[in-house]
Amino acid sequence: MTTTQVANERAHELVAAAEALFTAGVMSHSGHANLSARLDAESFLLTPGFVRGLRPGDLAAVSLNGRILEGELRSVSAEIIAMHSAVYRARPHVGAVIHTHSPSATAFAVAHRPLPCRTEPMLRFGQPEEVPVVPWGPRGSDVSVRGIVEVLKRRPTTSAALLANHGLIVFGPDSAATAHLVVAIEESAEAEIAAAAIGGAVDFPEGALAAVRASIARVAS
């Protein structure tokens, strides 16, 4: 595909991912989120200052060093370029990044509590471990970005992180897979909070991840 074709495909994928998040009901009251999709080794598409009713033409192309290559961004979105860039630099295989203020996941972020992996969707959609917490720093600041980078180094297999006193950031191979994981994490956080009222959630038995992977492999074969 040409560069233009790749950008067009990624833009439509981001729009579909944003719609999926609203349909799943995992967005905050404000609907705040920012989504991005990698274009190549040095650039990515990024949503503007809104995602409700997002259209492909609303997206901007930006470089990893923060330069806007095409389109426009509101200042509120320009602040988070560094956050997305940090993930793409740290994880060359990542194709999409989604940041939300999903209510239940954000409750864990506000409490500075890692979210355990105790629901099967988290196993299936790419987070078979607890979601770690990144120490607080103003959004898009050097402090915040350094915190994200440090957590990704310390936790090389995590596909998500909770931003203390802020929200959730999730990353995956493409927009659809990343959106699926956002939903799985939000549902798991909601379940954890609900389970606390009836005695608390219980860990998976040993070998649960291997069993789920074997089940998926049987269906796929």
Side-chain angles (χ1 to χ4, degrees), residues 99-192:
H99 165 58
T100 70
H101 294 172
S102 301
S104 295
T106 299
F108 277 81
V110 170
H112 293 206
R113 288 186 57 185
L115 173 65
C117 176
R118 292 192 180 116
T119 60
E120 189 166 327
M122 282 182 65
L123 291 180
R124 287 180 173 269
F125 294 120
Q127 187 63 22
E129 59 186 274
E130 71 174 20
V131 182
V133 179
V134 174
W136 182 80
R139 189 179 77 160
S141 67
D142 289 344
V143 172
S144 176
V145 172
R146 283 198 305 271
I148 293 170
V149 171
E150 288 170 5
V151 165
L152 296 189
K153 287 180 179 177
R154 190 169 69 248
R155 298 288 298 275
T157 56
T158 191
S159 293
L162 296 164
L163 307 179
N165 303 95
H166 189 153
L168 172 69
I169 186 167
V170 180
F171 31 93
D174 55 52
S175 300
T178 306
H180 281 310
L181 184 52
V182 170
V183 174
I185 288 172
E186 175 62 9
E187 288 181 342
S188 187
E190 186 175 352
E192 283 281 335

Side-chain angles (χ1 to χ4, degrees), residues 46-125:
L46 182 64
T47 54
F50 58 90
V51 293
R52 197 187 301 272
L54 184 69
R55 298 171 299 179
D58 296 329
L59 299 163
V62 299
S63 67
L64 293 185
N65 63 14
R67 187 163 58 94
I68 298 176
L69 304 174
E70 187 175 344
E72 298 180 359
L73 287 177
R74 299 180 181 180
S75 59
V76 69
S77 289
E79 286 180 348
I80 51 84
I81 291 175
M83 178 173 70
H84 287 251
S85 294
V87 177
Y88 288 124
R89 285 195 175 101
R91 299 286 175 85
H93 64 280
V94 162
V97 178
I98 297 178
H99 165 58
T100 70
H101 294 172
S102 301
S104 295
T106 299
F108 277 81
V110 170
H112 293 206
R113 288 186 57 185
L115 173 65
C117 176
R118 292 192 180 116
T119 60
E120 189 166 327
M122 282 182 65
L123 291 180
R124 287 180 173 269
F125 294 120

